[in-house]
Amino acid sequence: MAQCLQSVQEFIQDAFVPLVAVLCSEEAEKVTRKNELNFEELVRPFCRLTSEVHMRDPNNQIHVIKGLKISINNIVTQPPQPGAIRKRLNDVVSACQPADGLVANVITAGDYDLNISDRSVKASVPWYSNWKETLMNLNTSKFYSATTPWFEAYRENFFQTTSASDHEFLNHYLACMLVVSSREPEPIEQFLKLSQEQHRIQHSSDYSYPKWFIPNTLKYYVLLHDISEGNEQRVDSVYEEMKQRYGSQGCYLLKINSRTSVKGSEEQIPDPWSQYLHKHSLQNQDSYEDGINALIMNKNAENSFITSLDGLEHIVKDGVPNNFKSHPLQLDNVTDPVGHSDNPEPAKSTGSLQDVKKQNSVTAHGTCLTLNDHDRIRQFIQEFTFRGLVPHIEKTIRQLNDQLVSRKGLSRSLFTATKKWFSGNKVPEKGVNEVKNTAGLLYPPEAPELQIRKMADLCFLVQHYDLAYSCYHTAKKEFLHDQALLYAAGAQEMAAVSAFLQPGAPRSYPAHYMENAIQIYKDCRCMVLAERCTLLSAEILKSQGKYSDAAAILIRMTSEDSDLRSALLLEQAAHCFINMRNPMVRKFAFHMILAGHRFSKAGQRKHALRCYCQAMQVYKGKGWSLAEDHINFTIGRQSFTLRQLDNAVSAFKHILINDSKQPATQQGAFLREYLYVYKSVSQLSPEGPLLQLPLPCINSSATRVFFGHYRRLAEGEKQAATHVSLDQEYDAESSQQWKELEEQGVSVIYKGTLPPNFQTTQYCLNSQTDNSRYSLAVVEEPITVEVIFKNPLKVPLLLTDLSLLWKFMPLDYRDFPNEEKELISNEKDSHAKVPFGNEITGTEVIPEFVINGEEIKPARLKLFPHQTGELHILGVVYNLGTTTANISNAIDGTDPTAGTQAGKFMNNFLSVRGKQDLEIQGPRLNNTKEEKTSVRYGPDHRLDPIITEPMPLLEVFFINFPTGLLCGEIRKAYVEFMNVSKCPLTGLKVISQHPDFFTFGSSTASLTPQSPTASENCSAYKTVVTDSTSTCTALTSLVSPMDFGVDSENPPGVIDVPLPNSELLPGTSVQLPLWLRGPDEEGVHEINFLFYYESTEKQSKMSHRVLRHTAVICTSRSLSVRATACRSNALEDEEGSASNMLVFLDVENTNTSEGVREFHIVQVSSGSKCWKLQKCISPLEDKDSKLTSRERAKLCFKASRCRNTESTSCLSEKYVFADLVLGNEQIISATTPCADFFFQNARMLKSKTSPLQANVQTSQTPGKQSVRDSLTLVQQCQEVELNIIVLWKAYVVEDNKQLILEGQLHVTLHSIGKEACSFLQKQESQEMVVLKFIRPEHPPVPPVPSLDQLSHLIKTSLHYPEYFSHPFQEKSLCLVPVDLVLSNCSQADVDVIIDLRHKSTSPEALEVLGSFTWLGKTQHKLQMKGQEVYRLHLKACFIHAGVYNLGTPRIFAKLSNQVTLYETKQNSVPALIIISNI
């Protein structure tokens, strides 16, 4: 049970107190009415004695009574009606509500902190988010006592309204006060009339109510004197006469109203009556209306009317007002059968209660009384108790004891009495069939059993619990013996209470007495007595810590006959469960739900709401969704009934936003309830701010914002740039690539650096983008916000007039500084449909938007800013309504007339207008130590764009842009640039990571072919028809890289677009040719184009704009080219040049597609600064090389260094292009697009590989520096840097049509002897080996030329006749002249030694090739300058005919500044000579 303000002992003592009746004359009532009180109310605050009272028991032992309280009531001659009692109890409970502002009480039960107090409604409902924090701040101790004052008020009024019974005497009157005013003409006569009236009421058979304890009732005569009226002498004389007549112990003079000037006095007199009047106002309100007591009139005026002081009329009969016959709780025309509801018109009772409260709060009581008057009244009660009531009780106890003992004549005391003392002389008035009828057995008033019970009740009232228990116990046995079960039940009940209240607790509490009594009361249908017994027993069990037993007895008392009683008892049982040693929290919650249900049936809506809210503290967040839904639904209903509309809205909202497991029909009912309540709330303030709607759910973090227009789709052959759209998924890797491309373009504009205020352009913002800075939007360009809606219900939702909420701060960025302007918002206009456009920001409205059950659906809403400034998007506003499944299906697209139908249906369905805020939390910060150790979030400004000044807007379209290419295929397309804004644009650039994929052509018009060309098959190349004589020798031309955009200032990926006049005016467009080349690697390629452009007028916020395009190209295999260069044996060519070499090309058709029939190699070109292809050594019969699938061809070409006018190209950074035509027409490789892709490929390779010279450190010692110079010189001997361009045509059959495709492949030869490929070979993954760390003992040795590198310093060649005839018969020695030509391949001086001695003399060598000898010097030493050619004349001597190898000379060479000689490598092909005999 809940903790009460009183202890259980105090509660029981106040429940059973001596009752004193009072009869007042009319003049006495007038005296008390000056204080707005009657006599009963006047003395009520002083009825508890502050001092102890002493009396003697039958054994003449002194017994001390502590804190005695008496109850003084007006005489009422009719018992209260049950309906009136129920109405009073219902009103009392309804009036006692938790007060606002008090400190919350908390019970800590296990893992729960339960708020059981005045704030429980606020703290336990789901919408009260900070309730636990509030409780923890208040919870300074582990346990807080929780009080239920409505239960205590109910209990107190229940005991006060319990009528007197015949089987017990606790509610019988012990005495009667007769009050007469001193203003009466004959006060003594008036006392006599009152005394006679009291005697008539007690002893006449006309009155069965009230009940009197004994026939000889104590009468106490009170003379009431108004001090303000004076006449003290008369009063004293009357009082002396009273003492002589009634004795000094039986009368009293009470003087009051000593306060004369009420209005002018500034003295603040306390008002002790307020608390009692508020508590009992409902009980006595009928008395206020009817007058408390009228004057006793003359018997001759029986039917006359008199008017009381309050102006109401009363009928007087026999000199006594007839209000004696009507109880204060009497209802007008009430017929209340047993079992009726205890909630008669709760609304009316609440209204009357409010009226009484208002009356009591305004009326001042005791205005004519001073503190001395208070003391006089207190002294009066004390004198009455000490000298009148207590001696009377003591005397009565003795008399009863003497009577009972005298009948047996055995003992003078009941302390030694046994059962046989009271076993005789019992004459119960029993009927024939009344033995087993528990309600029909009656005892005569003089029966000894009733005398024992009478004595027991008297002892109990004066706190003599030992004697009371003995008497109750004895009476119980007697009653049980006679089967007078109702009497026995009463005796058992009070015996148990007396046993509990005995000082020192000599015996344990007999709980079974109470259980038997309750059961008997229920069997006898005495539910009031059963309830009283339950309340007493539960309090006693609770005080002993037996909360489980107390809860059980309370629950057993619940029934259907009284909802209010059941509700209160269930609530107390719930508190018992929570107060156990091991709190049973779930049982507490369950019984609070039951109590709330019974409160609701009893019309106690506030208490029902409180119970449900307290139970919610246990159920919420535990996964019991159905229970939560039921509780929240009830909370919403009760709150709405109590006009707590905000709480009702919040409760229904909680049902809707949770993951409900309810069926669709139930969810629909919940939604309709919510909409109805929400509409009621919104109607309270139609012009106020919009309220928050819970449905549909919005995933704010998933909100995306797109700036700009949607791009136009493809039109015919035109393909629009992909750019950015909301339909694309965000890719972090791709976004980083676009960022790098934009930074690359901006760095070109700012000479290699980024400006400090640089901000990457982001057209689409989401949760993964960087939103820490304010994004930029352009005025007059739309802003699209994608909001993700989720319908958690199983029923469809219909949103109408859906739009965005925003606020805007106008700013003119051209004026500095800006003046502060008023913040503009569209929320005030959002109560109705927002217009599409206005002067500030146009707002798009979606008329209808349907979200099906459990569907996640995005909505894209647009804003059209018309002014520059700062825009803040706040949320969305819409009408929320329900619809049927048919409407939702129609709107989803099954019915073309869905839009009009939904609008018609919406007229018949309930909808409300509200909003939802878009609150986005930024990313968690995790950079500094402080941020890592705490939870901090950064800003997210995706919904706060800055509207900038007008900027140009570019649209790009591609014409004939392919989706599939062969590797190296050349295709010509067109690109169209269109300025759709009102501002001219300039500085257009294309930035890409694959600049070798496309080209706009040369900046020189003569090098760019016209479109289309008149050559064969409309080739993308510039071609010239050739004759047969030009197919064997190369056609050369000299080209500057600057003509093809190769500029050292721009990185390779930044390409200027050749706009006419470098500017594109508003509304104009330009179409430019675009050559494409398929990537060298097969597969699917995503190639990004970033179009960068600026405005002709510099803007303060936005410096440039970009347009993105991603081209997806699928490439398939074409040809694979491998090239190798080697030195030529011939040191001199036709032109006399000794710098030449052989180039071998290995070409393979790697395409396996059925559509590609064959490839033709139509031309091989070279491009280099120092080398060129001279001629083709192995011409084919069909001129060009035809390769079908998987066929290979070997081509050999002679290359030579550039001479004469071409040799200046090395100094002028110009390239020499040489074309070897293998077909019918020459493709001029020095023009677009061949030269463009050649230079782009060269730049890409150069950017990927850095020369060794760049890494050489200059801070070296002279010795080390010379070694590095030697290494460089030696390496240069092998470097070639010759670029080969293989141009081909492919014959493809597609859709039964033959197409001719063309393309080019690039192979770069870097050094002699190393193979180069036309595609990058994939490096095989090396096996993982254990990594070893070795500390070198000696410093690192500088790199030195290797043996292989040094062996190529000198190139040699033997010149001799292949056939030589000699007559050996005539001359035995044959001498043949041989020239050894040596060529220095380096730029440095080289020391050379020629050794002519044969290295091998083995018989096998002589046997194979024969033996010969060199005549003359066998070793020559000479020094050769850089690039020098030296011819040495030798003679070979043969002795007989045969085949001989002349390649026996060994050549040793070294750099002039080196010491070690190295043998050079010569050609492995033997120099054979045939010697024949003539």
Side-chain angles (χ1 to χ4, degrees), residues 6 63 127 152 516 553 625 644 735 808 908 991 1015 1028 1131 1195 1306 1358 1374:
Q6 291 180 317
H63 172 66
W127 57 88
E152 296 183 44
N516 295 336
I553 197 173
S625 60
Q644 299 178 9
S735 177
F808 183 77
N908 300 325
I991 309 163
S1015 61
S1028 59
L1131 293 181
L1195 302 179
H1306 306 113
L1358 290 173
C1374 175

Side-chain angles (χ1 to χ4, degrees), residues 1383-1452:
S1383 176
N1384 184 2
C1385 296
S1386 68
Q1387 301 291 336
D1389 295 342
V1390 178
D1391 294 337
V1392 181
I1393 296 178
I1394 300 101
D1395 188 358
L1396 300 179
R1397 294 174 297 177
H1398 293 287
K1399 182 179 181 182
S1400 175
T1401 57
S1402 62
E1404 292 81 3
L1406 296 176
E1407 191 175 317
V1408 174
L1409 298 175
S1411 178
F1412 71 97
T1413 183
W1414 296 99
L1415 298 181
K1417 295 174 62 176
T1418 58
Q1419 188 171 1
H1420 299 266
K1421 183 178 181 181
L1422 53 93
Q1423 186 178 32
M1424 299 180 64
K1425 302 294 184 181
Q1427 300 293 330
E1428 180 185 356
V1429 178
Y1430 183 79
R1431 183 180 294 269
L1432 181 62
H1433 301 285
L1434 303 177
K1435 287 186 179 181
C1437 180
F1438 303 91
I1439 59 176
H1440 52 78
V1443 179
Y1444 298 92
N1445 182 13
L1446 298 180
T1448 59
R1450 300 173 64 191
I1451 312 299
F1452 297 90

Side-chain angles (χ1 to χ4, degrees), residues 1-4 146-152 155 535 538-539 542 547 550-551 554-555 566-579 591-592 595:
M1 293 178 65
Q3 300 297 317
C4 300
T147 60
T148 51
W150 47 91
F151 173 71
E152 296 183 44
R155 190 177 60 185
L535 294 176
E539 282 293 338
K542 185 200 70 172
Y547 291 102
L554 289 168
I555 294 173
S566 300
L568 290 168
L569 297 184
L570 285 170
E571 182 183 15
Q572 295 304 308
H575 282 280
C576 289
F577 289 123
I578 205 67
N579 281 300
H591 285 83
M592 289 300 289

Side-chain angles (χ1 to χ4, degrees), residues 592-604:
M592 289 300 289
I593 293 294
L594 296 178
H597 175 66
R598 299 304 292 270
F599 272 128
S600 179
K601 291 180 65 177
Q604 300 287 343

Side-chain angles (χ1 to χ4, degrees), residues 1354-1387:
I1354 300 298
K1355 185 174 73 170
T1356 61
S1357 177
L1358 290 173
H1359 291 256
Y1360 58 91
E1362 294 182 3
Y1363 298 92
F1364 194 84
S1365 300
H1366 179 74
F1368 286 97
Q1369 297 177 354
E1370 297 178 2
K1371 294 183 179 180
S1372 59
L1373 296 178
C1374 175
L1375 300 178
V1376 178
V1378 178
D1379 290 341
L1380 177 62
V1381 180
L1382 297 94
S1383 176
N1384 184 2
C1385 296
S1386 68
Q1387 301 291 336

Side-chain angles (χ1 to χ4, degrees), residues 665-814:
T665 54
Q666 189 64 44
Q667 290 182 355
F670 287 159
L671 180 58
R672 288 190 295 271
E673 290 274 353
Y674 171 77
L675 295 178
Y676 181 77
V677 174
Y678 183 95
K679 195 163 190 177
S680 301
V681 175
S682 60
Q683 289 175 351
L684 296 178
S685 55
E687 301 300 328
L690 291 172
L691 300 179
Q692 293 285 339
L693 289 172
L695 291 177
C697 300
I698 295 179
N699 186 2
S700 296
S701 61
T703 301
R704 297 193 297 170
V705 182
F706 177 75
F707 303 102
H709 297 276
Y710 286 117
R711 298 293 167 176
R712 287 184 287 180
L713 301 177
E715 299 177 358
E717 295 182 352
K718 288 186 178 182
Q719 178 185 353
T722 58
H723 194 50
V724 184
S725 70
L726 290 173
D727 298 326
Q728 301 172 359
E729 294 185 1
Y730 178 78
D731 184 7
E733 182 179 356
S734 175
S735 177
Q736 181 63 27
Q737 293 177 1
W738 290 116
K739 179 182 178 182
E740 293 174 357
L741 290 177
E742 185 174 359
E743 291 177 351
Q744 190 176 355
V746 174
S747 62
V748 170
I749 303 300
Y750 290 91
K751 309 301 180 182
T753 60
L754 292 176
N757 58 345
F758 170 73
Q759 184 174 350
T760 305
T761 303
Q762 296 186 113
Y763 285 100
C764 187
L765 303 178
N766 53 47
S767 59
Q768 302 180 46
T769 55
D770 182 12
N771 306 322
S772 59
R773 302 178 67 176
Y774 292 95
S775 54
L776 301 178
V778 180
V779 68
E780 301 298 342
E781 292 187 12
I783 300 174
T784 306
V785 180
E786 183 185 77
V787 183
I788 306 299
F789 290 104
K790 177 184 178 182
N791 183 5
L793 305 182
K794 299 175 184 177
V795 295
L797 298 176
L798 177 59
L799 310 184
T800 58
D801 296 340
L802 175 63
S803 61
L804 290 172
L805 283 177
W806 49 263
K807 61 181 180 179
F808 183 77
M809 174 63 75
L811 295 173
D812 190 353
Y813 297 109
R814 292 173 297 183

Side-chain angles (χ1 to χ4, degrees), residues 223-497:
L223 181 63
L224 189 63
H225 176 59
D226 190 343
I227 299 178
S228 62
E229 296 181 358
N231 201 1
E232 297 292 335
Q233 295 181 355
R234 180 177 180 275
V235 171
D236 293 338
S237 64
V238 173
Y239 181 59
E240 289 296 332
E241 184 179 357
M242 289 173 59
K243 288 194 289 185
Q244 293 177 2
R245 181 183 291 268
Y246 306 117
S248 60
Q249 306 294 332
C251 60
Y252 193 84
L253 173 62
L254 178 59
K255 299 180 179 181
I256 60 173
N257 295 346
S258 60
R259 190 176 184 182
T260 56
S261 58
V262 178
K263 297 182 179 180
S265 177
E266 297 180 356
E267 182 182 4
Q268 295 294 332
I269 303 299
D271 183 6
W273 297 274
S274 299
Q275 53 179 331
Y276 295 96
L277 294 179
H278 287 184
K279 190 180 299 183
H280 300 277
S281 58
L282 291 173
Q283 176 186 4
N284 298 325
Q285 60 181 332
D286 293 335
S287 301
Y288 289 153
E289 295 175 0
D290 300 334
I292 302 301
N293 280 316
L295 289 175
I296 298 179
M297 302 301 295
N298 204 340
K299 289 186 178 181
N300 296 329
E302 291 180 351
N303 299 324
S304 63
F305 288 89
I306 63 170
T307 303
S308 63
L309 292 177
D310 54 2
L312 299 179
E313 297 177 348
H314 302 272
I315 299 177
V316 181
K317 182 178 180 180
D318 297 333
V320 181
N322 74 340
N323 62 347
F324 289 149
K325 296 183 180 180
S326 62
H327 195 274
L329 298 179
Q330 178 78 28
L331 287 176
D332 296 335
N333 300 325
V334 174
T335 57
D336 184 68
V338 179
H340 268 206
S341 173
D342 51 3
N343 181 29
E345 299 182 4
K348 183 182 294 185
S349 64
T350 305
S352 62
L353 169 65
Q354 294 174 352
D355 296 339
V356 172
K357 282 187 174 181
K358 183 177 180 181
Q359 177 184 356
N360 292 334
S361 61
V362 173
T363 305
H365 305 94
T367 55
C368 296
L369 301 178
T370 62
L371 293 179
N372 292 331
D373 293 333
H374 294 186
D375 294 337
R376 293 189 186 99
I377 298 173
R378 189 178 294 108
Q379 182 65 29
F380 157 67
I381 297 297
Q382 186 171 350
E383 287 293 326
F384 165 72
T385 305
F386 281 19
R387 298 189 178 185
L389 183 61
V390 173
H392 174 70
I393 294 175
E394 180 180 348
K395 177 182 176 182
T396 305
I397 292 175
R398 287 182 179 274
Q399 290 176 354
L400 291 173
N401 183 60
D402 292 342
Q403 290 176 10
L404 294 172
V405 173
S406 65
R407 291 190 179 186
K408 286 298 178 181
L410 296 176
S411 174
R412 299 291 298 174
S413 175
L414 283 177
F415 287 109
T416 58
T418 60
K419 175 184 177 182
K420 62 181 180 180
W421 295 346
F422 309 103
S423 61
N425 298 328
K426 293 183 289 185
V427 190
E429 298 178 359
K430 302 179 183 179
V432 178
N433 299 323
E434 293 177 351
V435 177
K436 295 184 179 181
N437 186 0
T438 58
L441 182 60
L442 297 175
Y443 288 95
E446 66 275 4
E449 291 86 354
L450 293 186
Q451 302 303 318
I452 297 175
R453 176 60 198 255
K454 215 177 256 191
M455 182 176 176
D457 289 343
L458 275 178
C459 294
F460 187 87
L461 291 175
V462 295
Q463 304 177 11
H464 203 316
Y465 301 117
D466 293 338
L467 183 56
Y469 175 77
S470 299
C471 295
Y472 284 131
H473 191 268
T474 303
K476 177 203 64 155
K477 294 181 180 180
E478 295 295 329
F479 293 141
L480 290 176
H481 180 268
D482 295 336
Q483 295 187 2
L485 299 183
L486 185 60
Y487 290 87
Q492 288 186 86
E493 175 187 3
M494 298 311 298
V497 176

